Amino acid sequence: MAVAALDEISGGRFTLGVGAGGTRSDAGVLGAVEWSPGERADRFAEWVELADLLLRRDETTFTGRFYAAGRAVVGGGDPHGVSVVGSRLPLAIAASGPRGLRLAARHADIWVTLGDPRHRAGAATAAVARQMGRLDEECRATGRTPTLRRMLLTGTTDERPLASVEAFRDYSGHYADLGITDLALHRPTTSLPRWPCWNRWPPA
């Protein structure tokens, strides 16, 4: 797999970031019929399960509803096809709903959220807090200590963390207090495009 090669080239610094995707900004560009939200979630869950197995095992045989592998071998940083740092390369899983958060609790090293792009700043903060509470519950339900990293992707609300140095300090400090460990900032500008414009960056 390409991710194993990237992991080796980067000296074990590569993180595989994945999400279920959307409609116009993701599935539509492939020219295929769009999946329903339910099918997209089903496919993503099965794909993550298979990817996790492929990156952990010497050889993987798997038969699912959507995907399959027959004695698949993934080369990587060591003879077992795992990360050069000695374990499965990190997975960053984007999730906000119950099923996605359950998946992140089982497989993610880093949980990724947009907050809630339908809401403005105050409500987005509350959405992040609710999601993290649910993530902690799902981790405990699987017997996992909820210590995974938590990343917030910026730019989908009316929050403007790059408006000034002070604005960034306030923004990052506020989310750090909530438990966010990482921020993804898309460009050093005070005005960020909304979805689905990010795949056409920079805007005309």
Side-chain angles (χ1 to χ4, degrees):
M1 291 177 68
V3 294
L6 289 169
D7 184 52
E8 183 174 4
I9 292 170
S10 68
R13 294 180 292 112
F14 179 72
T15 296
L16 176 60
V18 296
T23 52
R24 290 176 300 165
S25 60
D26 293 303
V29 300
L30 300 177
V33 175
E34 294 178 0
W35 298 325
S36 67
E39 181 175 354
R40 194 163 65 245
D42 289 343
R43 286 178 175 271
F44 181 55
E46 188 174 298
W47 186 92
V48 168
E49 180 185 356
L50 176 55
D52 192 34
L53 292 174
L54 287 167
L55 294 170
R56 288 185 187 277
R57 294 179 174 177
D58 300 8
E59 183 179 282
T60 300
T61 295
F62 176 92
T63 301
R65 178 183 171 194
F66 303 105
Y67 307 106
R71 302 185 65 183
V73 176
V74 178
D78 68 16
H80 297 287
V82 297
S83 172
V84 295
V85 298
S87 62
R88 192 262 282 138
L89 65 85
L91 278 178
I93 297 180
S96 58
R99 290 186 64 189
L101 290 169
R102 193 173 306 119
L103 189 69
R106 291 199 307 268
H107 297 285
D109 300 281
I110 305 171
W111 165 65
V112 183
T113 182
L114 293 169
D116 190 337
R118 298 170 299 176
H119 292 155
R120 294 186 177 274
T125 299
V128 171
R130 287 194 303 271
Q131 291 166 11
M132 288 200 294
R134 181 63 181 267
L135 179 66
D136 290 346
E137 292 174 3
E138 294 293 351
C139 284
R140 286 189 285 267
T142 63
R144 178 181 184 183
T145 302
T147 55
L148 69 169
R149 288 163 54 192
R150 295 138 195 265
M151 176 182 289
L152 175 65
L153 301 186
T154 65
T156 60
T157 70
D158 60 359
E159 298 163 298
R160 290 294 175 261
L162 300 181
S164 67
V165 172
E166 193 59 36
F168 179 76
R169 287 175 178 161
D170 290 344
Y171 180 88
S172 59
H174 174 68
Y175 279 105
D177 289 342
L178 285 179
I180 292 294
T181 60
D182 299 80
L183 293 175
L185 303 171
H186 293 273
R187 189 176 173 91
T189 178
T190 58
S191 179
L192 294 175
R194 301 297 184 94
W195 290 105
C197 300
W198 290 354
N199 63 349
R200 297 195 302 272
W201 191 266

